[in-house]
Amino acid sequence: MNKHEWDIIRRNRVFIHKNVSNINEVVDLLYEKGILTLNQKECVASQPVDRRAYEMLDIVVKRGPRAFPCLVEALRETENPAAANQLEGNAGSTTDPNKTKTYTKPDPPNKLPTHHKGVPPSEDNSSYVEWMDDVELTKLEDNFIRTDPKFVMEMKKLHNEHMYNMTGDKSKRGKCLMIDSIPNDFCQQGECHTIVDSSKTLIHQTLKQCGFKCIYYTRNSGTSQTIKQKILQEMNKPDHVQYSSFLVICVTTGPNPQYIYGKDGEKDCLPIQEIQDMMSQCEAFSNKPKMLMVHTVPESSLKCDHSFPLAEDRDQRLSDSMQYLTLEGKDTSSLNGGDLFVVSVRLEPGISFLVKIRGKTGAYFSNALVYVLLKHAANRSFLEMTKEMDRLFESCEYEGEDSVDANPYNKRVHRRVRVARLTILTKPEKELFLFPQYEDTGTQVSG
């Protein structure tokens, strides 16, 4: 799908949501036409009814050059001429809008598109690494999707008082504390340290687009107790009352994904539950949403190309990681009264912390977080974004003995692996939308 078609769909998201009531039939036709996979079809069906149109469109825009004309055809064939005309009219079509078919008929339903057979699409050879391409510092502003005011009104009407107020000053959407305890000596080569630092910069700049002000807590500089005190200190600063939310992103090195680790090894740790209890009781952000995202990396997963031999490396990673398979990769969360979202991410056994594939670099956690913020912060809730992160982790391309590409839409290679597992540990009853770049005039920042 080219940029012009993508932009047409973006401008007409709310129109399609309001005017297409039989989304399931549209999705079935897109599946028959080879645009959606079975998993993607089921993913749309699993969404709440009021979110299915948005989910379908979010997937369709990533499905290659045939996706737009096939979407228009599917809308016509399911008796949605108004929506089809809306898309087609924006595309500048000069054909008769009353005709059932406008575009050249695609491949028959039982014939898969070329890229399902192991080769990239001929019209867009870069589409198979589309989301990794989007996660680049120089492209952040261009790829960032801004909030449609109609979507804000729609969510306010739908959720009313069961939604946090996040429409105040758009430059003070939240405060973010980024904690990185990846040790300085994990690699002797500067290249890997540069990748880690660049990943933090990507998150920082993306959150800035969302209206967050970020604070760094530098690498390998504190014990677990110091980290706890740093979080409490930042949350209680008097000037932070002007912010609508508080976010902590903690990348920590240790074996157990239910703990946060400091600089002094495996014994220097605190249960996530202890940090969770402290944050939920913080009066400075009372009645405001608080988010804690913890990515725990086993020490063996820090081994890179410059470390000891791959066979030994892989065996060690498997041994270390399999000791703590205690979290299930799904929403097993409990509700809490402290306005707190807690998310834990751990790497799967044998998976390396860093990804370096076809010229793309980064860490799975940071790349996935940046991508969902770029593409979904404007039109999905915080919980929906975390679930999308888990879907990215779930279907990564497998290229070789130790190489995977975090790209869930890549049909170039058949074999897929799950590289990480995200678990929502606790959540409040209210919905949280970030509504980046949107601001209500005169709205007060409150819960």
Side-chain angles (χ1 to χ4, degrees), residues 138-203:
T138 57
K139 297 181 179 181
L140 291 185
E141 190 168 352
D142 291 339
N143 291 327
F144 189 79
I145 298 177
R146 287 161 176 76
T147 305
D148 186 337
K150 293 180 181 178
F151 176 71
V152 179
M153 298 302 107
E154 181 184 344
M155 291 301 101
K156 284 184 175 182
K157 183 182 295 186
L158 179 64
H159 298 291
N160 201 2
E161 71 273 9
H162 299 295
M163 182 178 78
Y164 289 104
N165 184 352
M166 296 288 284
T167 56
D169 188 336
K170 63 184 179 183
S171 66
K172 294 181 172 61
R173 197 65 85 229
K175 198 81 172 184
C176 175
L177 174 61
M178 296 177 60
I179 300 169
D180 172 15
S181 66
I182 299 297
N184 289 318
D185 60 353
F186 86 94
C187 177
Q188 301 304 313
Q189 302 290 327
E191 176 190 1
C192 291
H193 290 290
T194 300
I195 293 173
V196 173
D197 292 336
S198 297
S199 295
K200 290 191 296 184
T201 302
L202 274 169
I203 295 175

Side-chain angles (χ1 to χ4, degrees), residues 35 37 39-40 59 62-64 113-121 124-133 355 357-358 360 364 371 388 391-400 403-417:
I35 299 302
T37 66
N39 284 341
Q40 289 166 339
I59 295 173
K62 303 176 180 73
R63 299 303 295 163
T114 307
H115 59 279
H116 285 271
K117 295 183 178 181
V119 295
D124 184 4
N125 289 334
S126 66
S127 64
Y128 69 94
V129 288
E130 179 180 349
W131 87 266
M132 288 290 273
D133 283 342
V355 53
I357 198 104
R358 288 201 293 275
K360 306 301 174 186
Y364 291 111
Y371 183 79
E388 177 64 19
R391 284 196 284 270
L392 295 178
F393 295 145
E394 181 180 36
S395 55
C396 292
E397 173 192 343
Y398 185 87
E399 276 214 329
S403 297
V404 283
D405 178 13
N407 177 12
Y409 307 109
N410 186 351
K411 298 302 175 185
R412 193 181 185 188
V413 179
H414 289 292
R415 188 174 178 186
R416 302 302 180 86
V417 296

